[in-house]
Structure formats: structure tokens, C-alpha cells
Amino acid sequence: MARRNIDYTSVDDKYLRQRSLKSGAAGWVLLAGLGVAYVISGDFSGWNLGLAEGGWGGLLIAFILMGIMYTCMVFGLAEMSSTLPTAGAGYGFARRALGPLGGFATGMAVLIEYAVAPAAIATFIGGYIEALGLFGMTNSWPVYLATYVIFIGIHLYGVGEALKLIFGITIVAVVALIATVVGLVPHFDSANLFDIVPDGSAGSSAFLPYGFSGVLAALVFGIWFFLAIEGVPLAAEESNDPKRDMPRGIIVAMLLLLVFGALMLVLVPGAAGSEAMGSSDSPLPEALRAAAGGDSALADFVNYAGLAGLVASFFSIVYAYSRQLFALSRAGYLPRFLSLTSKRHTPWVALLVPGTIGFLLAALTGNGGLLINIAVFGATVSYVLLNLSHILLRVREPDLERGYRTPGGVVTTGIALVLAVIALVATFFVDILAASITAVVFLAALAYFWFYSRHHLVASAPEEEFALLEQEGSNLT
């Protein structure tokens, strides 16, 4: 979009001082832990619903395709985050490559994903607590409320403390996954993977009980194994050395998630059956109980530790949505009061507003599957735009200083782009109502930008400065 279509508003130094984050709070190890934390809840619950959509074979194909998509995209994100290290992350990358409209569209898609994903995770936390019989819970809305209040409160206290706590909780969750592997390996039976009766649809078989259409439907749940890994670059302004730490942190996190996801996909239904696991709210402990023939100490441990996995993802995605909202608001794309920070340099308004919306979504729907579909729609839109951004930056600015270069260059992110488009289309096949409602919200946000916020942007916001410097350089050339 040409500069003449955008109006910038002058702000004083106080404006940015009231909107500053704490730098130097994270090295690459904490960033890798943050990347795993974003996603690890997907190993404990949610992915298994794909068994009911595509059978084990359909979900396996979905896992492989989405694993390829995310791995290729992560290499592109590693490059862009080392080159444009700002809190806007995806919005900042797309702003440089696609202009203000493309940047805002990417940021809003990410924001939809991150605002709704914690609501879905909150419903799974409620399911795990009900499975344990804690507090005599029969309705989980008090769990949703407590989850939001406690963990947003910790974020309000300070980012350094929050990231270290996220890392500690994630370690507990990883131990639970390892314990699950140890407990299920002796009970694995490949026949359990194919215990869903084929429905007779086109291409249906023991491997694909719901046929070819089941593979498309399972793509959404293949995404759940990796959803939100792209949030690591949102910590760029709070990291020690983003040019070095960002690529290392996000790539290490992605490799770990591929291993954990593959193990859960094979062992959980392989021990307890795909049909039974396709409708479970707490698949890992249920699989362990099925393998043991009843209650077991290991199942109880994984049930409790599984809460740590769910909490880790909830806690970390709250961090992510606050930084994305903070960056969009600081630059004037959304109301500026949303980017105010406290004396401890935490974006308190950006933490509270999406948290309130997420709690209401969880309490009013109580439907984790529906919320997954909404979050995945936002995610897939952003993936299309992020991969396109990497390709355009490589083509238009080949000499831009980069701290890391994507192996395979635009071919790598081109593969991710094609798969992201397929995944976006798949969201309408899985739940056309959820995808359509989310699309309407997304279009309403774009209308807000077009008719209002593009006339009130802040040129001194870091993401805008990066883009404007490039534009001025092009004009001089």
C-alpha cells in the first residue's frame, strides 16, 4: 500500500515510554521452552478428536502434512525474526513485506488465534480436573475463571518471572509425556490403531475409515499438534540477542514437538484404541488406565502432570496474545490504550481485555472442539500471509541483513504456503459455521483498519520504523 494512503500521527517521547517492554528477559533456552510451552497442551488433549474425523490413518497423514508445513514455516520465521526483531513479530514481518493492510491482516489473524486458543485449553483443563474428581466439579466454569485470574495475574507481575515459571511448568509436562511413553510401550498393539469400522465413503478402508474426506477433516487436528509455535518471535524485544537466540530457540522447540507429537499419535491409540480415544477429554490418562485394566498410580500422575501441560500452553499463549495486541495497539492499528504498560513493563490492558473475552467464550460454549476450529482458522490465515511475507522479502530485499537464512530459501516457505492454503480451505469442511463466523469477525477488523485506523498510525512504533526506513531507501534509489 502506498504511503499516500496512510496517515501518521505524531506522538511525544512519553507515548513510547508508557509502552515499553523489559529487554533481556530471555535467552535461547527460555525461548525454546516458551515454544514448547505454547504447543505442549496439544499433546495432552485436542489432537485425539481428529481420530473421530479421519481415523488413525487420516490423522497420521494430517500430522505428516502439517508437520512439514510447520517445519518449513519455522525456518522462515527463524530468518524473519532474526532480521526484524520486534514485539509485533508476524504483524511486523508482514508489515514490511505486504504493507500496512497486509501487516494488520496478519496481526489480527494471529490475535484471533491466540485469544481463542486459551479458551479451548481452559475447557481441556476443566476436563482433566473433572476426570480427577477434584473439588466435586460437575461444571467447569469456575475452573476457567480461576485459570484466567491466576495466570494473567502472574503475567501482570512481570515477564521474567512469568517466562521462568512457564519453563518450569513445561519441564513437568515433558516428564509426564516421557512417563506416558514408558507406560504405554509395553501395551502397544497396532491392531488398536485400526479399530474404527469403515463408513463406506469414497476411499474408506481400515486405514482411512472415513475415506479421503476424513483426511481433510483431520488437518485441523493435525495443526493442533503444533499450533502457536509461531509465537516465539513475539518475545523478540524481551530477548537477550534476537539475531542469535530467536532462530535457535524456535528451531529446537519445533524439533522437540515433532518427536512428542509422533509418540502420542502412535502410542495412545495404539494402547487404548482409536475409537475410544477419538472422544476422550483426557486421552493420555485414559489410555494408561485402559492399558493397566483400571486405575494406576502412573495414570494418576500423568493426569495431574497433564494439567501442567495444559497450564503451560495456556500460560504462554496468554503471553503471546498480549504481545501481539500490544504491538498492534502501540502502532495505532487498534485503540492505543490497549498498549499501555505498567511500572513493571507488562502490557496490562492487553492482558486483561482478551482474557475477559476468552473466559466468556469458554464459559458460554464449554466446547473445546468448536474453539479449536475458530483458533485454527485464524492461524491458517496468518500462515498463508507469513509464508508469503518471507517469499516477498527474499525477492524484494535480497541484500537485507539477516542473522539467519532459511535452508532452501523460498522453496521451503513455498511448500509451507501451499500446505497453509490447503489447511485454510479444510477449516470450512470441518466446521463451516465456526469458520464463517470467524471470517466475519476478521473482515470486520479489516473494515475498522480501512475506514479508521489507517489514518491514525504511529510512525515511531518499531514495526512502522522498520517498514518506513525500507520505503525511504527505495525512494532514494
Side-chain angles (χ1 to χ4, degrees):
M1 184 181 297
R3 171 75 181 271
R4 57 187 170 82
N5 293 327
I6 299 297
D7 298 320
Y8 285 98
T9 300
S10 298
V11 295
D12 56 22
D13 291 340
K14 182 181 178 182
Y15 179 84
L16 292 179
R17 285 200 304 272
Q18 292 175 327
R19 292 160 174 84
S20 62
L21 300 174
K22 182 179 179 180
S23 62
W28 78 266
V29 174
L30 274 182
L31 291 173
L34 179 63
V36 174
Y38 280 140
V39 186
I40 200 166
S41 67
D43 291 319
F44 285 94
S45 199
W47 66 268
N48 55 300
L49 302 178
L51 296 168
E53 297 288 343
W56 188 79
L59 187 55
L60 173 65
I61 294 172
F63 175 84
I64 292 171
L65 291 176
M66 295 301 94
I68 293 171
M69 181 190 77
Y70 273 93
T71 301
C72 290
M73 183 175 70
V74 158
F75 284 128
L77 290 172
E79 177 179 311
M80 291 190 291
S81 62
S82 72
T83 307
L84 305 169
T86 64
Y91 137 61
F93 309 151
R95 170 64 183 90
R96 178 83 172 232
L98 303 173
L101 178 59
F104 178 70
T106 305
M108 277 306 304
V110 172
L111 190 56
I112 290 171
E113 171 194 354
Y114 288 164
V116 176
I121 295 167
T123 67
F124 298 137
I125 290 173
Y128 264 67
I129 286 179
E130 286 186 30
L132 286 167
L134 295 177
F135 316 118
M137 286 287 181
T138 56
N139 188 314
S140 292
W141 78 261
V143 175
Y144 309 155
L145 180 61
T147 302
Y148 273 98
V149 169
I150 291 170
F151 295 109
I152 287 178
I154 295 172
H155 277 296
L156 290 171
Y157 185 72
V159 62
E161 295 79 5
L163 288 176
K164 290 171 184 174
L165 183 56
I166 288 170
F167 189 82
I169 296 171
T170 303
I171 293 296
V172 175
V174 168
V175 171
L177 292 179
I178 294 171
T180 300
V181 171
V182 172
L184 293 182
V185 164
H187 302 280
F188 174 78
D189 183 346
S190 60
N192 290 330
L193 301 173
F194 311 110
D195 66 350
I196 297 176
V197 178
D199 68 353
S201 58
S204 67
S205 63
F207 182 71
L208 295 175
Y210 303 115
F212 302 129
S213 62
V215 177
L216 196 60
L219 285 178
V220 168
F221 301 96
I223 287 173
W224 194 245
F225 279 106
F226 311 105
L227 183 83
I229 180 68
E230 71 277 7
V232 174
L234 289 163
E237 289 186 31
E238 294 157 291
S239 65
N240 292 328
D241 182 359
K243 287 185 179 295
R244 178 183 64 109
D245 295 338
M246 279 293 158
R248 191 179 299 180
I250 194 170
I251 291 171
V252 168
M254 185 65 210
L255 294 175
L256 290 171
L257 291 166
L258 284 167
V259 172
F260 293 145
L263 289 170
M264 295 305 106
L265 175 59
V266 172
L267 292 176
V268 172
S274 293
E275 185 173 16
M277 292 297 95
S279 59
S280 173
D281 286 333
S282 51
L284 274 59
E286 282 192 25
L288 288 165
R289 291 187 181 102
D295 288 335
S296 71
L298 181 59
D300 289 341
F301 166 74
V302 170
N303 208 149
Y304 281 103
L307 282 171
L310 295 169
V311 165
S313 289
F314 179 93
F315 196 16
S316 54
I317 297 175
V318 166
Y319 170 87
Y321 77 54
S322 68
R323 269 54 184 180
Q324 187 67 91
L325 180 55
F326 164 82
L328 287 169
S329 171
R330 179 176 61 180
Y333 288 90
L334 292 173
R336 295 181 198 169
F337 76 91
L338 294 169
S339 58
L340 288 171
T341 54
S342 67
K343 292 180 180 179
R344 299 185 67 84
H345 300 287
T346 58
W348 64 276
V349 185
L351 283 163
L352 293 174
V353 172
T356 302
I357 295 170
F359 164 70
L360 291 174
L361 285 173
L364 293 174
T365 69
N367 187 336
L370 170 68
L371 296 171
I372 285 176
N373 290 331
I374 294 173
V376 167
F377 178 85
T380 52
V381 170
S382 74
Y383 299 163
V384 171
L385 296 171
L386 285 170
N387 287 300
L388 182 60
S389 296
H390 177 266
I391 293 169
L392 290 177
L393 284 172
R394 271 295 188 96
V395 172
R396 292 176 180 172
E397 301 186 60
D399 298 325
L400 183 65
E401 183 181 349
R402 292 167 166 86
Y404 172 86
R405 297 184 73 86
T406 302
V410 297
V411 173
T412 299
T413 43
I415 293 170
L417 176 60
V418 171
L419 291 171
V421 171
I422 293 171
L424 175 59
V425 172
T427 63
F428 287 92
F429 283 88
V430 175
D431 190 336
I432 190 170
L433 178 62
S436 298
I437 291 173
T438 314
V440 169
V441 172
F442 181 67
L443 291 173
L446 294 184
Y448 172 82
F449 166 81
W450 188 256
F451 292 108
Y452 180 78
S453 68
R454 72 188 178 106
H455 302 299
H456 300 83
L457 300 185
V458 178
S460 56
E463 296 82 5
E464 295 302 303
E465 284 190 332
F466 271 120
L468 292 174
L469 284 172
E470 184 275 332
Q471 183 174 303
E472 295 301 326
S474 298
N475 291 339
L476 288 173
T477 301

